Amino acid sequence: MGKEFLGEFEELVLTMVGVLGEDAYGNAIVTEIKDRVGRDVNLSAVHVTLYRLEDKGLVKSHMGGATNARGGRRKRIFTITNAGLAMLRAMKEARMDLWKLIPQLKIAGG
Amino acid sequence: MSNDTEHTTSTPTAWLRVLEWFCPAYLYEGIEGDLLEQYDEDRATVGNKTANRRLRWNVIRFFRPGILLRNRFSIRLIKGYMLLNYFKIMIRSMAKRKVYSAINIFGLTMGISFALLIGIFIAGELQTNQQLTSVDRLYLMRSNNLEAANQVPLFSPSPLARLIKEEYPTLVENFYRCSDRNITISKDDKHFRVQSLIGDSTFLSMFGFPLLHGNVGTALNEPRSIVVTAKIARQYFDRTDVVGEMLTLATEKNGNQQYTVTGVLEDWKPNTVTNLRDMNAQVFLPIHSLKDFNGFDPEAWTGVQMISYIRKTPVASEDAIIEAFTSLLKNKAPANAQSNLKMAIDGLDDYHLVSDNGLKKKLVMTLSIIAIFILLLAVINFINITIGNSNVRLKEIGVRKAIGGIREQVTTQFLSESLVMTFVATALSLGLYELLRTYAGNIVGTSLLSVIEFPVSYWLFIGVVMLATGIAAGIYPAFFLASYKTLESLKGKLKAGKGNIALSRSLISIQFLLAIGVFTAAIIITQQVSYFLEKDLGYDKSMVLTVSSVPRDWTPEGFNRMDAAKLQFQQVPSVQSVSLSWDIPNGNFGVVAELYRQGKQPEEGVGMPILMADEDYRDTYQFNMLAGTFFQPKGQVQQPDDMVINESAQKALQVQVGDKVQLKGVPIAFRVVGVMKDFNFFSLHQQVKPLVFMNTRNNLFPAFRYFSFRLQPGNIAQSVEDVEQRWKEVFPNDPFEYAFMDQNLEKLYKTEIQMKKAAGFATVLMLLIVLLGVLGLASQSVTRRTREIGIRKVLGASVSNVLVLIAREFIWLITVALLVAIPLTYYFVEQWLSAFAYRIDLQWWMFVLPGILVFTIVLLVVSGQSLKAALSNPVESLRIE
C-alpha cells in the first residue's frame, strides 16, 4: 500500500467500521470498541479519526435517514472502501508474515 | 423539530451552540446527533447531572485541531482580476468624461495641497521646543508684581534660579539664566551686529543643544569664551570648525575685547530659548561676560533681572516649586527686593503656542479650520459630480449585478475608484507642495520641510488623511449607486431622486457658505491690517530711517562722540534731522518705573514706561506738543533731570509743566518741561498709556541704542546710500543695520499680516474650487435638461429665458448661503476684532461684497455653460434619444 501507514488507533477504528458494516457511525463505534476490546475511547477522537480515514480514502460516509431518536439528527454512516479493506488485509498479512518469523516454542521431549 | 420532547426540554443547548460555532457545518449534524444519543443514554443510566457534565466535557473535547482545521475559512475576497477590471473601467469612464475627471482630481489636489501646507506648518509649530532635552520638565520663570506694572514678567531676580536649585535639590535639577545683548562682533573687516545671550555655563547641557565642534561640558566655563552657531562661523570664517579662533567683541564697559571660540552649535530650529520673542540669538557668552556688557553681579538682588529657566526633577510638582520660590523670596531676599513679587513658571513644551495670549495657537487654529474647509469643499465637489454623473454608470452597475455581482462588490468598486483618485490627487499635491512650500513658508514666516525630509510619522499622517478623504468622498456615491435595483439601473434611469438633488444642493450651499465666509473674513482682516499700518499714529512715520547698530559706548566720551557724529550726519543733504535715542516706536521698551508727583507718597506711584531720547527726537518723529518744549531747545545745554510726559501721564500724575516728579526708590527728582499730545508709541493692540521721556544724558541710566534719521522727500534709495556712506566714515568698525519705521511697524503686526496673506490665499483657492464645482454641476443640469430646453425653445422661449431657468437654482442657493454666512461671519470677525484697542468698524459692504462677487462669478460660469444649450437648435436636442 505504498507509503500509507495506519496508526494503531486508526487501524482499530477502520476495523470496527468494517465490522459494523451498514451501522457504523461515531457512537456505535465507541460502544463497539468498549464491548469488544474493553477500551474506553473518546467520541471526539473517534470522529477525528474517521474524518482522517475518509481523507485517506479508506472509508466513505453518507448521511443516514432521519430517526426519532438523537433529537432527530441524522447519523453520519461510514462504510469501508475497497482501499480500506485492502489496507486492512495488507496489514494483517504483513503481521502474519512477521509473526511466522518469531521462533516458535518447541515442545521438548520425545 | 423533534418529537422527542424528553430531551429538548433539558438539553444544555447552549453547549451545543458552542459546538456549532466552531464545528464545520457539514460535520455538525452527525456529531451533534452522536452527542445527543450519548446524552440520552447517559441520562438513562447515570442521571441528568452526570449526563450534562459528560456532554459539556465531550463538547470541549471536540475543540481540537482535527475538527477546527476542517473549517473552510470563507472570507469573501475580491479577486485580483476583478480589481484589474475595476481599474480598467475606471480609466475608460474617466477618459470618456474628461472634464469631470479633471475637475475632480484638480479640486482634490488643491484641497490636499493646501491641507498639506498647513499641516506641515502646524506640525512644525507643535514640534517647537520638542527637541529640547526632557522639555516637559523645563520651565521659564515669570515674575508678577502685584502692586505695580514695573516688572517685566520675563525677567526675574537673578539669584532666584540658582538658589532654588541649591536649596531644593529634590525639586529643581538645573537652571540657566541669561541676559540678551545685541553685540557688534568683528573679524578683520567683517563687522556684524549679532544677537547674543550672556548666561550660565549650563546652556548646552541643560537644553541639549548639539555642538558640531567643542566640548559641551566646558565650552562656556572660561571667561571671554564664545559659542557660535554654524551660521555665524560660516559668516566670519567660511567654515565651521573654528574652535580656537578669535573674534573681537565691542563691549559696553571694557571696549573691544578678544573672545576665543570654544564651541560651534549646529544650526537649530527656532525654539523658545534661543528665539525667545523672536530674538534669534546666534552667539552665547559665559556669565563672566556680564562684566563686559551689563556690568552687574548676577548674585546681587537689587536691580538685577535675568531671563531664567529651570528644569524640575521628575517627582517635583509645579505647586511645590512655586511654594519654594515664595519661601526663598521671604527668607533669602532683602526686603526691598521681595516686595509684592510673586513667581510663576511656564512650561516650555507649549510656551511657543500659548505665550502672547495664545497668538500662535489662534493662528494655528484658524489655519486648521481653513484647511479643513478647503478639503471639505473638494470632497463636496467630488460627491456632487459623482452623483450627478451616475446615470452614465448605471447601466454598467446593472450589468454587473445581472451577471452575479453582489452589492458589496459594486460598493467596493466605487470606493476603490475614489481611493485611486485621492491617491493620484495626493501624489500631485506632493509635487505642488514642493513647488509652493517656499512661497507659503514666506507667508507664515517659517521654512517648511521638503517632501524628502518628511519623517515617517508625516507619511503616516498623509496616508490617514488620504484614506479619510477618499472614503469621505466615495462612501455616499458608492452606497447610493450600489443600492440601485438591478432592473432600474439596467434601464439606465436615475430615479427622480429628490433626495439626491436636495443633497447636492445643500452640499453646494455649504460650499457657497464657506467660500463667502472666508472671503468676508479675508476682507475684514485686510482692512484691519491696513488700518494698523495706515492709521495716523500721532507722529509722522514716513521717511524715518532707524539704525540699530550704534556702538554702545555709554561713557561721557561715548556721548561726546555721538554728538560729533550727529553733526556729521546733519551735513548729509538728504537728512532733515537726526536723533539719538534708547527707544523707537517699535513696541519694545526697556525700562518701567513708578512715578509720583513730588510731595505725594511713593505708594501713590503710577507704573509707566520710561523712554529715553535726545532733544532732536521731536523734529525727527514730528509729534505735537500740548505745552512746554521737548527738552531744552537745540543748541542749549541739556539738563539731565528734564522730563517730557504725554497727555495720559499728565492726567495720571496730575502735574503741570514746571512741576517735579519722582521715581519710586530713586533720590533724584525730575522736572517736567513739556507735555506731548498722546500718540501711539506702542502697538495698536493697546490703548495709549501714560509714558514719560528722559533725556539720553540723564544721571540715572544714560544710554542709547538707535539713530533715527528723517530723510528729505525724494530719491529714498539715494538718501539711504548717502547716510550709509557717511556712517562708514564715522563708524568704520560698526555695521550699518537699518530699517524704515514702516518696516519696524510691520513687524509689530506680523501675525496679523500672516493671517491676512493666508486668508487671501485661501479665498482664491476656495473660490477656484467652488467654481469648479459649479461648473460641473451646471453642465450636468444642462445635460439633464437638454430636451426640456429644446421643448421650451420650440414653444417660444428666448435665450435669456433659458439662461434664467438654469441660473435660477444657483441664485437661490447663493442667497440662502449668504443669509446664513452673514451672521456667522459677523460673530467670528467681531470676536477677532474685539482683541484690538484700535479697530475698524464693520460696514455692510464688507459682508455684501463677497456675496455679490461670488454671485457674479457663478452667474458667469453658469451662463457660459447654459448658453450652448440655449443657442443650440431645438431640432438637435430633441432628436437625442
Side-chain angles (χ1 to χ4, degrees), chain A residues 25 42 47 70 73 76, chain B residues 26 32 34 37 61 70:
Chain A
Y25 65 96
N42 183 267
H47 270 271
R70 303 164 48 94
R73 280 20 165 216
R76 182 173 287 272
Chain B
Y26 71 104
E32 191 191 20
D34 278 2
E37 189 183 323
R61 295 241 278 219
R70 279 173 197 280

Side-chain angles (χ1 to χ4, degrees), chain A residues 25-28 30-31 41-45 47-48 51-52 55 63 68-76, chain B residues 1-4 7 26-27 29-38 40 58 61-62 64 66-67 70:
Chain A
Y25 65 96
N27 251 2
V30 172
T31 323
V41 293
N42 183 267
L43 182 65
S44 65
H47 270 271
V48 169
Y51 303 143
R52 200 155 54 225
D55 290 347
M63 299 306 287
N68 283 341
R70 303 164 48 94
R73 280 20 165 216
R74 290 175 299 166
K75 295 168 183 169
R76 182 173 287 272
Chain B
M1 199 175 159
S2 160
N3 303 334
D4 198 347
H7 63 239
Y26 71 104
L27 293 179
E29 189 176 356
I31 294 176
E32 191 191 20
D34 278 2
L35 282 173
L36 285 174
E37 189 183 323
Q38 178 78 48
D40 288 344
N58 270 331
R61 295 241 278 219
F62 267 101
R64 53 197 290 165
I67 299 291
R70 279 173 197 280

Side-chain angles (χ1 to χ4, degrees), chain B residues 533-548:
Chain B
L533 298 179
E534 281 153 25
K535 184 185 181 297
D536 179 13
L537 299 171
Y539 65 90
D540 186 0
K541 64 175 187 285
S542 63
M543 307 298 286
V544 176
L545 182 76
T546 60
V547 180
S548 55

Side-chain angles (χ1 to χ4, degrees), chain B residues 157-384:
Chain B
S158 54
L160 261 184
R162 179 183 58 81
L163 272 177
I164 194 167
K165 191 215 161 191
E166 282 167 12
E167 305 276 324
Y168 298 90
T170 52
L171 293 181
V172 173
E173 270 179 12
N174 213 342
F175 68 96
Y176 173 67
R177 302 163 297 176
C178 61
S179 198
D180 64 303
R181 265 291 184 272
N182 218 334
I183 302 173
T184 300
I185 300 179
S186 312
K187 172 76 188 169
D188 304 328
D189 59 341
K190 288 181 180 167
H191 311 284
F192 298 102
R193 259 192 111 63
V194 185
Q195 180 67 45
S196 72
L197 287 180
I198 304 170
D200 290 302
S201 60
T202 48
F203 173 67
L204 296 167
S205 55
M206 173 152 148
F207 300 110
F209 292 119
L211 279 186
L212 280 178
H213 306 283
N215 183 327
V216 171
T218 59
L220 286 171
N221 285 357
E222 293 303 311
R224 305 250 161 90
S225 54
I226 181 170
V227 170
V228 302
T229 58
K231 182 183 153 210
I232 290 291
R234 282 191 292 269
Q235 200 171 325
Y236 282 97
F237 302 99
D238 296 318
R239 60 195 167 87
T240 57
D241 56 333
V242 294
V243 172
E245 295 281 350
M246 307 294 274
L247 286 169
T248 309
L249 273 67
T251 71
E252 289 150 13
K253 303 285 172 191
N254 296 323
N256 283 354
Q257 289 295 339
Q258 295 290 313
Y259 273 67
T260 314
V261 177
T262 49
V264 180
L265 271 180
E266 265 178 43
D267 286 325
W268 249 40
K269 287 181 200 154
N271 59 75
T272 299
V273 182
T274 63
N275 209 23
L276 188 67
R277 305 219 154 245
D278 290 328
M279 66 164 74
N280 193 16
Q282 297 285 345
V283 304
F284 306 90
L285 307 179
I287 200 151
H288 315 78
S289 298
L290 287 175
K291 294 190 186 77
D292 281 347
F293 292 91
N294 317 50
F296 60 65
D297 172 11
E299 304 312 333
W301 279 96
T302 41
V304 180
Q305 307 270 309
M306 291 175 90
I307 302 166
S308 308
Y309 300 89
I310 53 170
R311 172 148 83 220
K312 77 175 179 80
T313 56
V315 292
S317 76
E318 294 178 16
D319 292 341
I321 291 174
I322 290 175
E323 258 172 57
F325 275 129
T326 312
S327 80
L328 276 177
L329 280 171
K330 208 161 141 195
N331 302 326
K332 298 276 174 176
N336 60 347
Q338 57 140 333
S339 66
N340 300 310
L341 199 61
K342 213 169 149 42
M343 299 306 299
I345 49 177
D346 296 314
L348 279 196
D349 52 352
D350 59 352
Y351 187 83
H352 175 70
L353 292 175
V354 299
S355 59
D356 282 337
N357 293 325
L359 201 62
K360 265 277 148 60
K361 206 176 188 174
K362 276 184 202 155
L363 182 71
V364 163
M365 298 251 287
T366 316
L367 287 180
S368 326
I369 291 173
I370 292 181
I372 290 172
F373 279 0
I374 289 186
L375 210 52
L376 194 65
L377 250 52
V379 167
I380 289 178
N381 270 357
F382 192 97
I383 296 176
N384 273 346

Side-chain angles (χ1 to χ4, degrees), chain B residues 392-426:
Chain B
V392 185
R393 306 290 299 273
L394 273 181
K395 274 197 184 144
E396 177 199 333
I397 297 165
V399 172
R400 276 187 194 281
K401 282 185 160 182
I403 59 176
I406 50 171
R407 195 167 150 171
E408 282 81 32
Q409 285 178 320
V410 179
T411 315
T412 319
Q413 182 194 350
F414 282 92
L415 257 185
S416 48
E417 268 187 28
S418 80
L419 282 175
V420 169
M421 296 266 237
T422 323
F423 181 78
V424 173
T426 309

